[in-house]
C-alpha cells in the first residue's frame, strides 16, 4: 500500500481487492491465483491496482469510484479472456 497517496482514507481497500480478484477469476481462463502488489492513485487521479496472476502474469486494473474494475492492462503471458466474456463483462 502506498501510504503517500493516503488511498486507505479514500477507498475501502479490502472491497477493491475483492472486486479485482473476482473480476480476474470470472473473466479470464485458467486463473489459479491472484496476487495484489499495490493499490495507488494513478497520475490521472484514478485508482489503480497492480499485481500478478498465477504467480507471474502481470496486470494493472483501473478501478471506478464504486470500486468495480473499469479497465485492465495485462502482460504478454496473461491468461486469455473467457469466450463468453469477450463482448460483455462477466461478474
Amino acid at each position: 500500500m502506498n501510504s503517500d497517496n493516503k488511498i486507505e482514507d479514500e477507498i475501502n481497500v479490502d472491497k477493491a481487492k475483492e472486486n479485482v480478484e473476482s473480476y480476474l477469476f470470472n473473466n479470464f481462463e485458467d486463473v489459479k491465483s491472484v496476487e495484489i502488489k499495490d493499490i495507488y492513485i494513478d497520475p490521472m487521479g484514478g485508482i489503480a491496482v497492480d499485481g500478478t496472476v498465477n504467480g507471474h502474469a502481470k496486470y494493472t486494473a483501473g478501478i471506478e469510484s464504486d470500486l468495480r474494475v473499469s479497465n485492465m492492462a495485462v502482460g504478454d503471458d496473461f491468461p486469455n479472456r473467457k469466450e463468453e466474456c469477450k463482448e460483455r463483462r462477466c461478474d
Side-chain angles (χ1 to χ4, degrees), residues 5-75:
N5 289 327
K6 298 182 182 175
I7 194 158
E8 57 275 343
D9 294 338
E10 296 180 33
I11 67 165
N12 180 330
V13 172
D14 290 336
K15 184 65 175 169
K17 287 180 179 181
E18 179 183 310
N19 288 349
V20 169
E21 289 174 0
S22 176
Y23 181 87
L24 291 168
F25 280 114
N26 289 333
N27 286 274
F28 293 90
E29 297 175 349
D30 302 319
V31 174
K32 308 278 188 270
S33 65
V34 174
E35 298 81 33
I36 294 176
K37 307 287 185 189
D38 196 15
I39 299 177
Y40 57 94
I41 305 297
D42 68 25
M44 299 298 289
I47 302 165
V49 177
D50 288 344
T52 59
V53 298
N54 302 339
H56 68 279
K58 295 181 180 180
Y59 69 86
T60 298
I63 306 295
E64 294 286 341
S65 60
D66 67 359
L67 305 181
R68 292 172 35 117
V69 175
S70 62
N71 58 63
M72 182 74 63
V74 299

